[in-house]
Amino acid sequence: MRVSGSAGIWYGTSGVAEIRTGRPVGADDTFRIGSITKVFVATVVLQLVAERRVDLNTPIQRYLPGLLPAAFAPIMVSQLLNHTSGLPNESGPDVPDLSTPEAVFHHRFDQWTPERLVATVTRLPMKFAPGTRQEYRGVNYVLLAILIEKVTGHPYSDEITARLLRPLGMKHTSVPGNDTRIHGPHVHGYLAMTEGTLRDITVVNPSESWGEGEMISTSGDLDRLISALFSGNLLPPHLLRKMFALPPEDVLMLDGTPARYSTGLQTITLNGITFWGKTGEQYGYANGMFSTRDQQRRIVFAFNPTHRDATQQQMTLRIAQAATNAP
């Protein structure tokens, strides 16, 4: 966990990076950051908007013709960015059943393409009219990563590297593509089997999370990213403001709670402090990157849950409470 900003700096670790060797966690150990990948994708899309190569109010169907069914309502680029697209649930015979940890291990090396990922959400009717509700969906960012490639003519990973990683000196951050391994010193992830034993799930094919959850990074690199982003070093002011703007108040989550996702970010208020940032997870990994708008307090954390259940959220809330409580 890394707490930084004008309020002060603190860094600490607990546990080990690998059970087998007992090696302690190092400051530059990498880990799978899951959906924090979406912040990188959203930032690049907004940079393309600034360059007038993408229009937020243009339907994604116009940029990517034929990828979604003709019967689908027009979905604006902005509605993908803030999860108000209304795309249906994944369905079809190629969608694996991952209801048990054993099934997760069985499918951990499955190979996916972006087009195949999108195809899984084309077989059912849309869930709601675009822009009327909010539902967090990874496939929104798969489409946005495809958009980056269509507009630039380059792999989205190359655009992230050229626009963000290299200029910010994020030497420990990468977009792995189909590479199953984490190279260099890293934290291992583990998953508890049904009978309770732990299995190492560090080595996986990340293509299942292409464009929305595949990246690898460190707490230091993520702190560098959110600091540069909130300082206005990556986007012009009018586009940066969109990252702190929620949908209209009448746009609610499917469960009736207020919308909490903006353009690329999410927000939470704890102990009177409002943070903006993003959580992320992969099997064996859970993490978050948050900051107040004025950067008085920035928080980056990563831990390694062995179960994908309510205990992950409980740990995240414990971390957030510790980071926001006054001494």
Side-chain angles (χ1 to χ4, degrees):
M1 180 174 175
R2 183 182 300 270
V3 182
S4 56
S6 57
I9 298 174
W10 180 89
Y11 174 80
T13 65
S14 177
V16 298
E18 184 182 6
I19 293 175
R20 182 179 59 85
T21 63
R23 181 179 68 84
V25 178
D28 291 329
D29 279 6
T30 57
F31 48 87
R32 298 191 185 276
I33 65 172
S35 288
I36 295 178
T37 300
K38 294 179 175 66
V39 181
F40 292 82
V41 172
T43 302
V44 171
V45 170
L46 290 176
Q47 288 181 342
L48 293 172
V49 172
E51 297 165 10
R52 301 183 182 276
R53 301 167 76 181
V54 169
D55 179 19
L56 291 175
N57 297 317
T58 294
I60 191 65
Q61 290 96 324
R62 191 175 301 175
Y63 289 108
L64 307 174
L67 198 57
L68 296 176
F72 280 12
I75 301 170
M76 306 304 166
V77 172
S78 60
Q79 293 165 344
L80 295 172
L81 284 163
N82 70 2
H83 299 284
T84 60
S85 65
L87 286 169
N89 287 339
E90 291 81 0
S91 64
D94 55 340
V95 179
D97 177 7
L98 302 178
S99 59
T100 67
E102 288 77 14
V104 171
F105 263 88
H106 177 73
H107 289 284
R108 71 189 186 279
F109 294 128
D110 287 0
Q111 175 65 41
W112 290 81
T113 65
E115 293 75 18
R116 183 183 169 205
L117 290 169
V118 172
T120 65
V121 299
T122 63
R123 297 159 182 155
L124 297 173
M126 294 188 71
K127 298 181 79 170
F128 52 84
T132 63
R133 303 292 293 274
Q134 188 174 73
E135 183 187 27
Y136 181 79
R137 298 291 305 283
V139 71
N140 292 326
Y141 277 72
V142 176
L143 285 162
L144 290 167
I146 297 174
L147 170 65
I148 291 172
E149 297 197 345
K150 179 69 177 293
V151 170
T152 66
H154 305 134
Y156 96 96
S157 57
D158 289 356
E159 290 295 318
I160 285 177
T161 299
R163 293 169 176 270
L164 303 177
L165 306 188
R166 196 174 298 128
L168 296 179
M170 299 177 67
K171 299 178 181 179
H172 303 291
T173 303
S174 61
V175 188
N178 297 327
D179 191 344
T180 62
R181 298 186 176 275
I182 304 179
H183 300 279
H186 60 276
V187 179
H188 286 240
Y190 298 87
L191 192 62
M193 297 294 100
T194 302
E195 81 282 358
T197 60
L198 293 181
R199 292 188 65 183
D200 192 317
I201 196 165
T202 306
V203 179
V204 297
N205 186 334
S207 64
E208 184 269 338
S209 299
W210 186 92
E212 58 101 0
E214 66 172 302
M215 290 181 67
I216 295 166
S217 191
T218 65
S219 63
D221 272 10
L222 293 179
D223 183 68
R224 186 174 292 111
L225 171 71
I226 200 167
S227 178
L229 181 60
F230 284 23
S231 296
N233 298 334
L234 302 177
L235 294 171
H238 72 287
L239 290 176
L240 179 58
R241 284 195 293 270
K242 290 186 178 296
M243 301 191 86
F244 302 108
L246 295 171
E249 290 186 1
D250 61 340
V251 177
L252 302 176
M253 303 292 293
L254 289 186
D255 63 3
T257 58
R260 56 183 178 270
Y261 297 97
S262 61
T263 298
L265 302 179
Q266 65 190 94
T267 187
I268 185 172
T269 300
L270 285 170
N271 297 316
I273 302 175
T274 297
F275 288 93
W276 295 83
K278 191 72 188 69
T279 56
E281 67 175 55
Q282 286 283 6
Y283 289 103
Y285 298 88
N287 39 75
M289 172 187 73
F290 287 90
S291 177
T292 55
R293 286 191 67 172
D294 62 5
Q295 297 193 71
Q296 184 179 16
R297 192 167 303 180
R298 298 192 304 271
I299 304 168
V300 180
F301 64 86
F303 63 95
N304 299 86
T306 57
H307 297 74
R308 184 172 266 192
D309 56 21
T311 59
Q312 289 186 225
Q313 185 178 11
Q314 291 165 6
M315 175 61 82
T316 299
L317 289 175
R318 284 179 61 195
I319 292 170
Q321 289 288 350
T324 56
N325 274 330

